[in-house]
Amino acid sequence: MPRREQWARSAALLLDAVEHAVIVTDLDGLIIHWSAYAERLYGWTAAEVLNRPITEVTVSSATALEAQEIMKALARGERWRGEFEVRRRDGTTFIAAVVNGPLMADGELVGIVGVSSDVSAAVAARAAARRRERWMRDLFDAMDEGFCLCEMVVDDDGNPVDYRFLEINALFEEMTGLRSPVGRTALDLVPDLEKVWIDTYARVGLGRQTLRFEQESAAMGRWFEVFATPMEPYGHFSIVFKDQTARHLAQESLRESEQRFRDMTDHLPLLVWQHDVHGALTWVNTTYCEFFGVTRESMRDDRWQLLPHPDDTRYTEGFLTAVAERRPFHGEVRVRGADGRWRWLESWSQPRYGSDGTFLGHLGTSADVTARKEADLALRASAAADAYRALLSDTLRSLADPVQVQVESARILGEHLSATRVHYAEVDDDGACVTVLADYHPRVPSVRGRHRLDDHGVTVMDDFRAGRPVVVDDVSRDSRLSPAHRTATSALGVGAYVLLPLMRDGRPVAALAVHDAGPRRWTPEELTIIADTAERTWTAVARARAEEKVRVQRQRAQLTADLLSALERETTTAAQAQRLTDSLVPGIADYATLEAPYAEAHLLALTHHDGEKAEVLRRLRRHHRLGPDERYSLHRSATGGVELISQVTPELRTGLPRDEEAAGLLEKLGTRSHLAVPLALGDQRGVLMLGITEPDRPLFGDDDAAFVTDLGARVALVLASTRAREQQHHIAARLQRALLPDRLVSHPRLAIAARYRAGSALLDVGGDWYDTYTWPDGRIGVIVGDVAGHTMDSAAAMGRLRAATAALVAYTPASPGAVLDALSSCARGPNGTELVTAACIVIDPGTDTLTYATAGHPPPLVLAPGRPPRRLDDAAAPAICVHHPQPRALRPVGRSALAPGSLIVLYSDGIVERRGDTLENGIERLARAATPFAGCPISDIAEQILAAMNDDDSTEDDTVIVCVRMEE
């Protein structure tokens, strides 16, 4: 290989090893060498850039013009060195340090060599440093403090003798009074400067300590607050300082002023005190010390906070808040004086400020206002008592419920006294037990129920029965209570209580009790309020009960009238039985049953206001009845005895014979009071049983038993009358069915079914009827009619008309008009009727045709497959009436083709007539009801239609429906 080529390759390898981008171009700027590092730096491979202009590959748009000028200079053989923005292959740019020089061969300029490296980070760092320098300079100039950079001056032995100012900020000269200090020493500027300044700064510059101090310079006539810190190089330090001369002068003046103030206020009759900026006590006058029996030294700092009453922490908190917020303070507080008595102080304080506006703390005074405060408290207590009595009177006056009177009275007293619990109780005749119907207990369990007095102390309860109030300040310490009595009372959450008896005829009839959870000293004022409340509550309860008795009598009279009226509207004894129990719940009781204890189906009606408990009661009465000879069984009440258990106790329930399931059911039912009275049920002995389960409802008493017994006797008369009508109605319905045909005509192509349903009204028998006919030519006739009236005469007339018409049809043409004319002749005959309506159809199975006619009767319906229901109402004539002359014109007759599968429905008006609705709507409803069943078996269609039409509203009228279907 020629030496020149070897040298070229060696040179290329050498250039690739350099950690700089080496790029060689010819004089036209075309790249002829691209080193390996250039590939990494610029992102282009050598193959991609060789023979391309250098300006296309590396020059950014921002430096394109400058690059052209540089290339021109390089082409002239000049050199260029500098920092230049260049571009990478991916379009990003960076700052490169570039050195360009000529490439000479045999003394001839043959190209240009460039060496470049990425100096972006260094450029950015230099820019950041310049910005920091400008920022620091701006910061120092903007500071409201003086600043200077200094160096220590030492002698030949290295001892500090002076310090020199190297840099200062704008405020330096203003705060020191020194002019043009830069480059000069401190002693040069202030020859008499105290040596302490040089020694102190030597600790910073030479000792490398950071110091913060305040120092006076008498030579400069100023006070300075200084922060000094060591700097590099060694011996240098910086100072940040403030001129505090004005503040020191002001403080000195303030100290002199405060001393004069303290001398002046030391013996004022007011308590005078000073607090610092944190609320700590710094000084009090002699009056303050004498009032509390303390010394100034003992009250320093926060020890003043021990003086206020423990319940008056808001005073302390309020004062400290005022100090923190630098605002005036006013407050009242209870404190213990030197004599040990709690006294009231009223305090005022104002924030103090120095002449320079510096906050110095609070200066305040306090005055003894105990006499005024006690007078105000007495006045407010009297006003509060008057307001309480007015509120109690106004509230109780508006209440009509005795229990609600007790509820509100207990609540108002409890809130007024901040008591744990208050309740009004009624005392048994023998004075052994009390019953609490309502209590005020915002934070503790209720004590409603029955309580034995002696369980809580025999001695105190003897006092109670004698008419003396029982006042217990501390249950745990009262000597009148035994340990067992204390335990029983504490278990109710009672730590102190008052039990005040209400005496009538020498015995307690009621009591008002006030409880507190912990020990409490009951004041005479509180006992007066309790006694006054007890009397007012008694009076209000008595008034409410008297008014309630009158109101109950009126309500029961109205309930009796409403109940009897409601029973009269019911048409069956079963409906009346259910109406009876429904009407008594919840007005009279929480549940009620009507039973016939000796009958197999003994449970006639049952109502409970709670649906879940109704099922509990139903299971008890069906499966767990007491036997005829067992006590409290309904069999005994059925024989004429009233059973009243005013209060069903747990002991009574436990004594009943029962199995495990019955015990659970009785517990769930939770009967509190029971009443059973006899109620005659015709030939059966019945019992009306009532029960109370809810805790707020009054228990049954003798008045309730008397009322329910009388009510039962009245109800028994209504039930007996209804039972008689039911029996007669049953006989009449059987008669009417006997008058209807027992079979219908049959034909291979016709399916016919008919149904008759008696009305719900007792004793009402109707004139609805139907019949079918056949003629020798194979035609089939169907008729539905209705004789006016709902009496036995109507039923008899219907039977005669049906039989007579059937007899005449054999001699009548096969036409619906002729059949209705025959019916009209019979109706106008000697055994006819005043008014009758009818609809008649005649079907010819051989030709699939239908003829029809009506006389004052709802039109038949035709339901053809795939078509909407159609009324046959175009052959209508008036009803047949004996008071109208026989029509001379031919009766209109309609004709229609019948498609196979068509259903014809004939019906009486009882199906479509409803109270409050139109006949038109009824017929539409019938059409909708019949449509879904048109394809059912013919024997089911009539029943399905009747069921659908009777779903929404039953009818008192009897009904007839005949369904005819043309089969395939």
Side-chain angles (χ1 to χ4, degrees), residues 192-212:
D192 298 330
L193 183 68
E194 295 82 359
K195 186 175 184 297
V196 65
W197 291 98
I198 298 172
D199 294 341
T200 300
Y201 289 141
R203 292 166 57 193
V204 179
L206 303 178
R208 316 309 283 169
Q209 299 180 30
T210 297
L211 299 179
R212 183 187 295 274

Side-chain angles (χ1 to χ4, degrees), residues 635-656:
H635 298 80
R636 305 181 70 174
S637 298
T639 60
V642 175
E643 188 74 71
L644 171 62
I645 308 175
S646 181
Q647 184 164 13
V648 178
T649 63
E651 294 79 12
L652 187 148
R653 283 199 294 268
T654 303
L656 294 175

Side-chain angles (χ1 to χ4, degrees), residues 913-950:
E913 284 185 340
R914 294 291 184 273
R915 187 179 294 110
D917 202 357
T918 64
L919 182 63
E920 181 75 15
N921 289 342
I923 296 173
E924 287 290 338
R925 191 167 60 252
L926 173 61
R928 289 195 301 271
T931 299
F933 308 120
C936 294
I938 197 67
S939 59
D940 296 338
I941 294 176
E943 289 293 344
Q944 297 280 14
I945 293 175
L946 285 175
M949 292 300 289
N950 288 335

Side-chain angles (χ1 to χ4, degrees), residues 363-381:
L363 173 65
T365 62
S366 300
D368 185 351
V369 294
T370 304
R372 189 201 75 198
K373 194 71 176 180
E374 290 176 347
D376 289 345
L377 290 175
L379 183 62
R380 281 201 294 271

Side-chain angles (χ1 to χ4, degrees), residues 624-825:
H624 299 282
R625 291 191 300 155
L626 295 176
D629 297 326
E630 292 179 306
R631 190 180 180 188
Y632 306 124
S633 73
L634 295 191
H635 298 80
R636 305 181 70 174
S637 298
T639 60
V642 175
E643 188 74 71
L644 171 62
I645 308 175
S646 181
Q647 184 164 13
V648 178
T649 63
E651 294 79 12
L652 187 148
R653 283 199 294 268
T654 303
L656 294 175
R658 55 188 179 165
D659 56 26
E660 186 176 344
E661 183 187 25
L665 293 172
L666 281 171
E667 191 67 28
K668 287 183 180 179
L669 186 62
T671 302
R672 297 177 53 246
S673 191
H674 168 84
L675 175 60
V677 301
L679 194 154
L681 298 173
D683 57 353
Q684 298 185 82
R685 295 174 179 176
V687 179
L688 177 62
M689 182 182 74
L690 307 178
I692 289 174
T693 59
E694 295 303 311
D696 295 334
R697 183 189 286 275
L699 305 177
F700 289 134
D702 294 335
D703 289 346
D704 301 295
F707 165 70
V708 177
T709 301
D710 178 69
L711 181 66
R714 294 171 183 263
V715 169
L717 295 175
V718 177
L719 293 176
S721 175
T722 303
R723 184 171 291 101
R725 292 202 307 272
E726 282 182 324
Q727 293 171 350
Q728 295 178 25
H729 177 69
H730 179 67
I731 294 170
R734 290 179 60 189
L735 171 63
Q736 187 161 6
R737 286 192 176 90
L739 295 175
L740 294 171
D742 56 358
R743 65 183 183 84
L744 302 172
V745 300
S746 62
H747 189 280
R749 292 204 60 204
L750 293 180
I752 305 175
R755 294 292 184 272
Y756 168 80
R757 182 170 293 174
S760 62
L762 292 182
L763 290 183
D764 283 353
V765 290
D768 289 9
W769 56 282
Y770 62 88
D771 210 344
T772 57
Y773 316 109
T774 182
W775 282 270
D777 60 1
R779 282 182 281 187
I780 303 297
V782 181
I783 188 169
V784 170
D786 186 1
V787 175
H790 294 84
T791 64
M792 294 296 287
D793 290 341
S794 302
M798 176 272 289
R800 291 194 298 272
L801 280 177
R802 190 190 70 79
T805 303
L808 290 176
V809 164
Y811 307 99
T812 301
S815 166
V819 174
L820 292 182
D821 286 340
L823 175 62
S824 178
S825 298

Side-chain angles (χ1 to χ4, degrees), residues 253-328:
S253 175
L254 179 63
R255 280 193 292 271
E256 295 175 359
S257 174
E258 283 187 352
Q259 188 59 47
R260 291 193 300 271
F261 169 78
R262 292 175 179 179
D263 293 342
M264 179 182 66
T265 61
D266 205 22
H267 297 287
L268 285 176
L270 296 174
L271 282 68
V272 183
W273 34 270
Q274 274 184 308
H275 287 255
D276 65 14
V277 296
H278 305 294
L281 189 63
T282 58
W283 180 83
V284 295
N285 69 349
T286 301
T287 307
Y288 187 106
C289 296
E290 292 172 350
F291 181 87
F292 287 107
V294 298
T295 64
R296 288 190 177 96
E297 290 71 21
S298 66
M299 285 292 100
R300 293 273 183 190
D301 301 324
D302 296 334
R303 280 170 283 183
W304 66 273
Q305 297 183 24
L306 302 175
L307 300 176
H309 191 280
D311 293 341
D312 291 353
T313 55
R314 285 195 296 180
Y315 173 90
T316 303
E317 294 168 356
F319 174 73
L320 293 176
T321 301
V323 172
E325 297 176 357
R326 304 183 182 183
R327 57 175 173 78

Side-chain angles (χ1 to χ4, degrees), residues 33 42 77 101 104 167 223 351 357 364 389 436 568 578 586 613 688 738 922 949 961:
H33 178 78
Y42 290 94
M104 306 298 291
E167 289 188 44
W223 277 85
R389 293 186 180 95
V436 180
E568 290 289 354
Q578 191 60 52
K613 288 188 177 181
L688 177 62
M949 292 300 289
I961 184 169

